[in-house]
Amino acid sequence: MDTVELVEAFPLRIPRPTPYLGGLEHGVEPNAKGLFIRPGNRTVYSVHDHTVLVRVTAQSGQAGWGECFGVVAPEIVATIVKELAEPMVVGRHPHQVVEVFDDLYDSLRVRGYFGGFWLDALAGIDQALWDLRGRLLDLPVCHLLGGRRLKQLPAYVSGLPGTDLQARAAVAKDWMERGFSAVKFAGAVAHEGELAEIRAVREAIGPDPQILADFHWRYTGSEAVAIIRSMEPHGLAVAEAPVKPEDVAGLAHVARSVQTPVAAGEELRTVHEYLPRLEARAMSIIQPEMLHTGVTGFHRICLLADAFHCRVMPHATIGIGIGQAASLHVAAAIPNFDMHEFQHTIFHRNLRLVDTDMDCREGHFHLPEGPGLGVTPKPEAFSYMVEPWPPP
Ligand code: MG
């Protein structure tokens, strides 16, 4: 039996020319760690790209790779992987991947940790075990999940960085000319308001492409209903995250009150968090995030949502492509996939740090062809390790 001998975590800090979602708002300064709050949604961001890689190595020397959510303070999740999870994973077989996921989840349930950083750590370990299992069997992960339904996966362009409305609309137009047919703008940096934003983008790209709006959890239910209704004459395809994550009743009120499909879920990690929202019919599109859920959690969430006749538009966060590949593998295997978020300010820039044939062009993601997840970090990825790591 080729059991796991070593679990390692690598927190990365990758400089980027401008922060995710564009430049800092007037008067906003990053703190000593490079973190800052966007006033538009009162949420912490970093001036860098951060991620956490996980490598699981079997006795034979074969390794599998995963990626944890590490957008801020990646050292936290890396420490949890090493200090808490590794001893529970060493000695297990990669064919036990689902069992290992459940055992780790169970181990801290009554300590009160059934979400947050602990689940982010599990997500990276779980992807790495699926990758290792695929490499040992010489099969891609989508085949291990029961089949590849799609050759290429429709993608939508996410985020329109630009200092003013015209600049942001021009970014949308540019991507539509490159063969994409759906674009999403970010409410937190739509400084003239969402209605002005959709008007400008629609004017720039014409009547056909889909326009999605991420409301960044900024409104009450009734505020969101009024704003979404005002945008509907301009062809709003999806209304994402209109209310705060805790406001399940508010989200259900929005979903009942507008024509536009409501999407939510990027901040959720387990079926237990999705279930009350699905039962309340609070959204018709779910947006699971692979770096929070792992392959096992993501797959379960999608199948649960399918029983509620919900479509899946997976969220894509900051990473170097391992989590992205894992998300595509599950997306290709589930019955209710719709389209995948394409983070155009992150994807190709960080893809230089990995060996893969994964790509996103002309409106579609192309799944990597190799065994496992099909993405292996290059040595240069580790030049971005947070120093000192591990801490002295
Ligand atoms: Mg979002």
Side-chain angles (χ1 to χ4, degrees), residues 2 13 32 86 89 97 110 112 225 252 259 278 289 302 349 354:
D2 200 4
R13 179 194 298 124
E86 185 190 22
V89 178
V97 52
V110 301
V225 169
Q259 303 277 319
L278 293 168
E289 165 50 60
C302 293
R349 196 163 42 78
V354 292

Side-chain angles (χ1 to χ4, degrees), residues 76-135:
I76 295 172
V77 172
T79 302
I80 293 171
V81 169
K82 203 63 198 166
E83 295 297 318
L84 196 49
E86 185 190 22
M88 297 194 232
V89 178
V90 166
R92 306 297 295 269
H93 196 281
H95 293 331
Q96 294 175 292
V97 52
V98 174
E99 204 181 328
V100 172
F101 182 89
D102 288 336
D103 288 348
L104 291 174
Y105 181 89
D106 288 350
S107 71
L108 285 175
R109 174 192 282 115
V110 301
R111 304 290 183 212
Y113 301 109
F114 35 74
F117 290 104
W118 173 235
L119 266 288
D120 294 346
L122 253 68
I125 293 167
D126 182 75
Q127 290 162 45
L129 286 171
W130 277 99
D131 185 41
L132 175 57
R133 187 179 177 218
R135 289 174 193 250

Side-chain angles (χ1 to χ4, degrees), residues 24-373:
L24 272 56
E25 289 80 354
H26 183 69
V28 175
E29 289 288 334
N31 66 22
K33 295 280 188 184
L35 304 179
F36 65 96
I37 302 286
R38 287 218 183 263
N41 63 356
R42 298 171 55 78
T43 297
V44 66
Y45 290 83
S46 174
V47 296
H48 309 295
D49 284 350
H50 291 152
T51 192
V52 180
L53 309 186
V54 173
R55 178 167 61 191
V56 171
T57 308
Q59 283 177 319
S60 63
Q62 180 64 260
W65 289 94
E67 196 167 14
C68 311
F69 195 83
V71 167
V72 292
E75 302 94 321
I76 295 172
V77 172
T79 302
I80 293 171
V81 169
K82 203 63 198 166
E83 295 297 318
L84 196 49
E86 185 190 22
M88 297 194 232
V89 178
V90 166
R92 306 297 295 269
H93 196 281
H95 293 331
Q96 294 175 292
V97 52
V98 174
E99 204 181 328
V100 172
F101 182 89
D102 288 336
D103 288 348
L104 291 174
Y105 181 89
D106 288 350
S107 71
L108 285 175
R109 174 192 282 115
V110 301
R111 304 290 183 212
Y113 301 109
F114 35 74
F117 290 104
W118 173 235
L119 266 288
D120 294 346
L122 253 68
I125 293 167
D126 182 75
Q127 290 162 45
L129 286 171
W130 277 99
D131 185 41
L132 175 57
R133 187 179 177 218
R135 289 174 193 250
L136 291 171
L137 294 169
D138 197 26
L139 286 171
V141 166
C142 59
H143 288 205
L144 301 181
L145 293 169
R148 177 176 175 177
R149 295 168 194 256
L150 295 169
K151 275 259 177 249
Q152 41 181 18
L153 294 91
Y156 72 85
V157 173
S158 186
L160 302 174
T163 47
D164 58 50
L165 260 180
Q166 270 56 48
R168 295 195 291 274
V171 173
K173 184 164 186 282
D174 180 51
W175 279 105
M176 297 307 102
E177 286 167 358
R178 291 199 237 171
F180 287 79
S181 57
V183 63
K184 183 171 87 184
F185 69 81
V189 290
H191 301 301
E192 291 84 354
E194 287 91 347
L195 179 57
E197 196 85 3
I198 195 171
R199 276 188 178 141
V201 173
R202 180 60 75 203
E203 171 84 20
I205 66 177
D208 295 333
Q210 293 189 71
I211 301 177
L212 297 73
D214 187 345
F215 292 88
H216 276 127
W217 314 276
R218 301 195 311 153
Y219 298 109
T220 65
S222 49
E223 287 167 353
V225 169
I227 294 166
I228 292 166
R229 283 181 178 165
S230 77
M231 296 166 72
E232 285 178 337
H234 303 280
L236 179 61
V238 175
E240 172 176 332
V243 304
K244 290 189 174 65
E246 303 91 330
D247 188 7
V248 180
L251 192 64
H253 170 67
V254 177
R256 272 196 310 272
S257 308
V258 300
Q259 303 277 319
T260 308
V262 169
E266 69 175 77
E267 68 279 22
L268 308 176
R269 292 178 175 82
T270 65
V271 286
H272 307 294
E273 291 177 313
Y274 271 94
L275 184 60
R277 292 162 174 84
L278 293 168
E279 285 178 328
R281 298 296 196 274
M283 67 278 220
S284 56
I285 297 167
I286 65 158
Q287 300 177 297
E289 165 50 60
M290 177 56 70
L291 274 62
H292 282 324
T293 63
V295 170
T296 301
F298 192 111
H299 193 233
R300 283 179 180 166
I301 289 164
C302 293
L303 296 185
L304 176 70
D306 191 48
F308 288 86
H309 307 282
C310 287
R311 292 181 286 146
V312 180
M313 290 189 190
H315 182 254
T317 194
I318 289 157
I320 64 167
I322 300 167
Q324 174 72 66
S327 193
L328 295 176
H329 277 280
V330 184
I334 57 173
N336 46 343
F337 170 72
D338 188 309
M339 57 181 174
H340 204 296
E341 183 167 32
F342 167 44
Q343 295 283 10
H344 63 94
T345 69
I346 297 164
F347 180 80
H348 284 105
R349 196 163 42 78
N350 289 347
L351 210 59
R352 71 198 150 87
L353 301 175
V354 292
D355 274 320
T356 185
D357 59 355
M358 177 173 62
D359 200 2
C360 189
R361 60 190 140 78
E362 290 161 10
H364 289 83
F365 274 104
H366 300 262
L367 201 62
E369 292 294 335
L373 297 174

